[in-house]
Amino acid sequence: MQSKMIHPLKIFVFLFASVLIFTDAFSNPRPPVQSKVTLNMESRSSSSTARRPKKSVQDRSQEEALSLIREIVQATVEAGPRAGPARTLQAYYALSTTARDFLPQLGRPAAETFSPPVALRKIFERLGATYVKLGQFVASSPTLFPKEYVVEFQKCLDSTEPLPWKTIKTVIEKELGPISKTFSSVDQKPLASASIAQVHAARLKTGEDVVIKVQKPRIDESLKADLSFIYIASKVLELLQPDW
């Protein structure tokens, strides 16, 4: 039997639903198994006589709406004041840069041939860690996604678009001091680049060959902003569609 493939864009819906279920599981603890079975039996016996009416947003109380507003404010504060504008600019950069990759421009060789898997992978990489992790999920799920997407997203495992050496050098020197003080040489071309860090080959002053794994700057802000957005989106969906 042929497995059904899921279009990569539908992963966003899956992600929202997962967070919604995860949040509900912690905010509304379930009763013990024994009592749950009893309740289920009772509900089955009474389901034939009466069916619970479907809830709508009108059934939500003012207190629930105020609680949602407080959670939105708290998530915004925790993400930091730079998170929203920074992610908005990063999204604009990701979309515009990817579009330019496939559009002909003066003074440049022929543009890349447009391919949906390649375009989506480039956007995910340029949107940062959260979306690279999402791309890694696509790459590791060949039974869920079409083969061309799985193959293309394999690049998200260790071949994402690297940060410039100037940025990586600043991070290293901030943590360890001047590079020349500790290393006799550092290869500016990374051995690998993934969602959160990239790796560079180096040689210590003592002559030992080592690798330096450098965490990409402001990765925590990016993750907080993305996860806060997903959490808020799930809570809004829960408010608007109580029985979803």
Side-chain angles (χ1 to χ4, degrees), residues 117-135:
V118 174
L120 194 59
R121 191 259 306 165
K122 285 175 175 282
I123 291 173
F124 275 29
E125 286 183 357
R126 289 162 179 166
L127 282 173
T130 306
Y131 295 88
V132 173
K133 287 294 183 186
L134 198 57

Side-chain angles (χ1 to χ4, degrees), residues 16 23 45 62 66 83 85 118 124 128 133 141 143 218:
F16 287 160
T23 303
S45 63
Q62 183 178 1
L66 291 174
V118 174
F124 275 29
K133 287 294 183 186
S141 305
T143 59
R218 294 188 295 277

Side-chain angles (χ1 to χ4, degrees), residues 28-80:
N28 301 293
R30 271 43 177 182
V33 174
Q34 184 175 358
S35 62
K36 184 176 181 180
V37 172
T38 304
L39 290 173
N40 284 341
M41 292 174 64
E42 292 175 355
S43 64
R44 287 176 182 174
S45 63
S46 61
S47 61
S48 58
T49 58
R51 184 180 295 274
R52 182 174 63 87
K54 187 175 181 180
K55 290 184 177 181
S56 67
V57 68
Q58 284 79 15
D59 298 316
R60 292 299 195 185
S61 65
Q62 183 178 1
E63 184 178 336
E64 288 175 306
L66 291 174
S67 176
L68 174 61
I69 293 173
R70 285 194 295 268
E71 288 185 287
I72 292 175
V73 172
Q74 182 180 356
T76 303
V77 171
E78 290 178 353

Side-chain angles (χ1 to χ4, degrees), residues 159-173:
S159 302
T160 62
E161 191 170 305
L163 292 179
W165 166 246
K166 182 179 178 181
T167 302
I168 295 300
K169 181 181 178 182
T170 301
V171 175
I172 295 174
E173 293 188 332

